[in-house]
Amino acid sequence: MYGEFDLTLPQTLQEAVKALNAAGKDAVPLAGGTNVLIDLRSQRLVPKQIMDLGRVPGLRGIVVEGGRVTLGARTTVSDLLASPDIARCGPALVQAATVFAGQMVRNTATVAGNIACGSPAADLVPPLLSLDAEVTLTSTRGSRTVALCDYYTGYKADARAPDELITAISWPVPEANTFGTFYKLARRKGDAITVNGVAVSIGISDGRCVRARIALGSVAPIPMRACNAESLLEGQVLTPERIAAAAKAAAEECSPIDDVRATGAYRRRMVEVLVARLVENAVQAMT
Amino acid sequence: MSSDKAVTLRINGHDETATVPSHRTLLEALRGLGHVDVKCGCEKGDCGACAVLIDGEAVDSCLTLAHSAAGREITTLQGLGTPENLHPLQLSFSELGAAQCGYCTPGMIIASESLLRKNPSPSEDELRHALSGNPCRCTGYVKIFEAVNAAAEVMRNSGDPK
Ligand SMILES: Cc1cc2nc3c(=O)[nH]c(=O)nc-3n(C[C@H](O)[C@H](O)[C@H](O)COP(=O)(O)OP(=O)(O)OC[C@H]3O[C@@H](n4cnc5c(N)ncnc54)[C@H](O)[C@@H]3O)c2cc1C
Ligand code: FES
Ligand code: FES
């Protein structure tokens, strides 16, 4: 039923990156398969080779060490939900994992797959952007890290070279005085594609905002940070007027389109509503 | 290019060999081997009818390649209990009328089993959350939730890890 391809199952990371280096663009990494199998079936993807990463040891797990949280690339959405470390160091990520697909997809879908699929609606990406996450890319040439906010270079285009694998995702453990949250607007609560995804991370010290991250999904060709909105908040006392101005700026700097789920105009309006609501909630939670 | 290759799958505690090309899904391989208790619905992760346990966790077999499942422990509905010795979920689904056409039932029970192994006393919200990838076109869900709760109680009281 699917176009034919060769399936490889490397047993070590070294074997995987070597094979990927040899195959280049001809090989497609396979993690949970919840995007890849769909794309194979619809023949949007017709690869010569599929490289299943399921046998590579050490790619799944959550570690908090040296002030950073590090996830292996094959950590699943269900792993995020089961982790007390993620509840503490990435509550917005837990909120995104909660409204992610249904149980069977959550049990297999991975964090790296969500990042690498390049969908503007990828639900884990706005929370990770709000946490200042970095992506570790590994090839036969070694490893390098790319800030997630620089990872996407255009619609479904990214900084990953064809012979690189995402091996880890990490971010600094949030300061005690920060509050992070995510909201997914969709047609229904369970198993739905996001109309708007909004994640915020707000830090307040001595009554002033010392950290503002506002990340938006499904309202631009790539998941994005609303940097103009962030700079209207940082260094300021977060009055309702300030928050309203920042929310307006966020709505102005995104570029949503009409699709089957919602109109661009509705999405833009909802960015304003949701950014204001999430920042207000954060302020209230910390005062 | 790929052609048929043998793969040994461990299904309900027994090794079986399927000879399939690398693009065959686990769903297709299982049904090809006669495991028609695994249902084929949407083949795109939306309906959960094809759910099986892999190493104890429910996954959609339509989103898994057969060759990727080699060496893993695969459990289908029939691996949970036999007609002579029904699993508490199988018993409660039949006794409480939690199935009408029955098409969603194998996946529904597999998803419920996967939930109850991690969380023996799920709240209403947790139960809905765990079954949101298993739409049922017949029952309206109330009887399904009743059946899972009834089985969960039996399983808690029996202390049977099955
Ligand atoms: C029914 C259903 C519901 C869904 N609901 C949601 C939802 O609510 N929210 C959401 O965001 N998404 C959803 N998705 C999409 C999908 O589940 C996610 O994007 C998921 O995180 C993909 O991860 P995966 O491990 O399955 O990736 P795969 O399908 O294995 O891979 C996806 C892409 O990433 C690449 N890739 C994977 N791992 C690596 C790696 N280590 N290095 C480099 N490249 C890699 C692959 O080559 C491929 O291009 C849904 C999908 C289905 C079928
Ligand atoms: S057939 Fe696999 S989820 Fe529908
Ligand atoms: S009983 Fe018919 S689909 Fe659920």
Side-chain angles (χ1 to χ4, degrees), chain A residues 121 184-187 192-197 217-219 259 261-263 266-267 270:
Chain A
K184 167 169 171 167
L185 178 70
R187 303 295 291 258
I193 298 182
T194 300
V195 170
N196 276 20
S218 285
V219 291
D259 68 13
R261 283 173 286 282
T263 63
Y266 174 75
R267 286 190 159 97
M270 289 315 288

Side-chain angles (χ1 to χ4, degrees), chain A residues 18-69:
Chain A
K18 252 183 153 166
L20 206 53
N21 184 264
K25 278 192 168 48
D26 286 344
V28 174
L30 173 71
T34 61
N35 282 121
V36 169
L37 272 277
I38 306 285
D39 290 345
L40 287 174
R41 196 177 155 68
S42 66
Q43 310 221 327
R44 248 187 316 243
L45 186 65
V46 188
K48 292 210 176 94
Q49 195 196 111
I50 294 270
M51 179 187 285
D52 184 347
L53 303 173
R55 300 290 190 276
V56 177
L59 284 184
R60 185 170 173 185
I62 300 163
V63 180
V64 183
E65 211 177 67
R68 289 190 77 81
V69 186

Side-chain angles (χ1 to χ4, degrees), chain B residues 5-122:
Chain B
K5 264 185 258 151
V7 56
T8 304
L9 297 171
R10 183 134 189 102
I11 308 162
N12 301 332
H14 301 282
D15 284 338
E16 295 185 47
T17 303
T19 305
V20 293
S22 43
H23 57 274
R24 227 18 121 238
T25 62
L26 180 59
L27 169 62
E28 293 166 321
L30 287 171
R31 289 187 62 88
L33 288 168
H35 295 279
V36 290
D37 53 326
V38 184
K39 298 299 172 199
C40 175
C42 64
E43 290 186 87
K44 53 195 182 75
D46 286 328
C47 77
C50 67
V52 298
L53 300 176
I54 294 190
D55 295 338
E57 276 200 315
V59 309
D60 290 325
S61 61
C62 70
L63 297 183
T64 307
L65 293 173
H67 284 271
S68 296
R72 321 270 307 266
E73 201 68 50
I74 301 160
T75 309
T76 72
L77 180 71
Q78 294 197 355
L80 292 183
T82 58
E84 301 73 43
N85 183 19
L86 289 176
H87 182 285
L89 281 163
Q90 292 168 321
L91 191 64
S92 68
F93 267 65
S94 61
E95 284 191 337
L96 297 175
Q100 285 181 26
C101 80
Y103 208 82
C104 69
T105 311
M108 204 63 93
I109 290 181
I110 290 288
S112 303
E113 169 71 5
S114 181
L115 165 71
L116 295 178
R117 284 187 187 189
K118 293 183 218 167
N119 179 357
S121 317

